[in-house]
Amino acid sequence: MKTLRSFFLLLLLIVTENISAQNVQTKDSTKSREEVVNETKPKFRGGDEREFIKWLYFNIKLPYEISSNGITGVSLVSFMVDSTGKVVDISVVKSLHSELDKVLIETIRKSPKWKPGLINNKRVNVRYILPFTVKYK
């Protein structure tokens, strides 16, 4: 199984909007004012998304069907880190193989808790999309 891991590349795409300011309508006026929004991404084990990639890399058990049939390509898995830091709402956005989909979902479901994302010091849900690329050398 360890030799199979050398054939797989994990990439992480973050689907979050980088918000630096937004227009807010005041009740007293039709004029809008600039309001600064402070945003902090979720943290995995004190690090960033790369720590999650490392964790996933060492915890996934790839299905035999993938390696034995020489299947290559990309699966996209979506999940949310909720306001409590739990990984929820896991789904496959683009499927490469049904057995790989199951393994990805189960492995991500077992993820330890994250430190939740914040906007203006309020905990928020943050959605991620993880492309999992299978490529043989």
Side-chain angles (χ1 to χ4, degrees):
M1 188 57 88
K2 287 184 181 180
T3 58
L4 289 177
R5 287 188 178 153
S6 64
F7 298 119
F8 296 95
L9 171 66
L10 297 176
L11 301 174
L12 181 68
L13 293 178
I14 305 166
V15 180
T16 59
E17 292 182 26
N18 292 322
I19 303 171
S20 59
Q22 67 181 24
N23 287 325
V24 177
Q25 286 294 107
T26 59
K27 290 183 180 180
D28 300 335
S29 170
T30 57
K31 294 181 182 179
S32 63
R33 60 183 170 84
E34 289 291 314
E35 180 179 302
V36 176
V37 177
N38 295 316
E39 181 181 85
T40 305
K41 291 192 258 182
K43 302 238 185 267
F44 183 79
R45 293 188 170 174
D48 60 11
E49 297 81 24
R50 289 175 288 209
E51 289 299 314
F52 179 71
I53 291 171
K54 289 178 192 175
W55 177 87
L56 184 60
Y57 178 80
F58 287 109
N59 286 281
I60 195 161
K61 293 180 176 77
L62 297 167
Y64 176 76
E65 291 86 356
I66 299 296
S67 61
S68 65
N69 293 321
I71 296 171
T72 61
V74 178
S75 280
L76 291 176
V77 181
S78 172
F79 63 92
M80 184 180 302
V81 177
D82 73 8
S83 61
T84 67
K86 186 176 179 183
V87 175
V88 297
D89 194 22
I90 306 164
S91 63
V92 175
V93 177
K94 178 184 173 196
S95 176
L96 176 61
H97 189 279
S98 61
E99 290 301 312
L100 179 60
D101 297 345
K102 291 175 191 175
V103 170
L104 285 169
I105 289 170
E106 282 305 311
T107 305
I108 293 170
R109 183 173 283 127
K110 294 175 184 175
S111 168
K113 276 190 148 184
W114 295 49
K115 183 176 178 185
L118 303 171
I119 294 182
N120 289 336
N121 294 321
K122 292 176 83 175
R123 293 177 177 196
V124 294
N125 298 338
V126 177
R127 177 156 303 280
Y128 287 86
I129 295 180
L130 177 79
F132 187 83
T133 302
V134 179
K135 185 177 180 180
Y136 294 94
K137 292 183 178 182

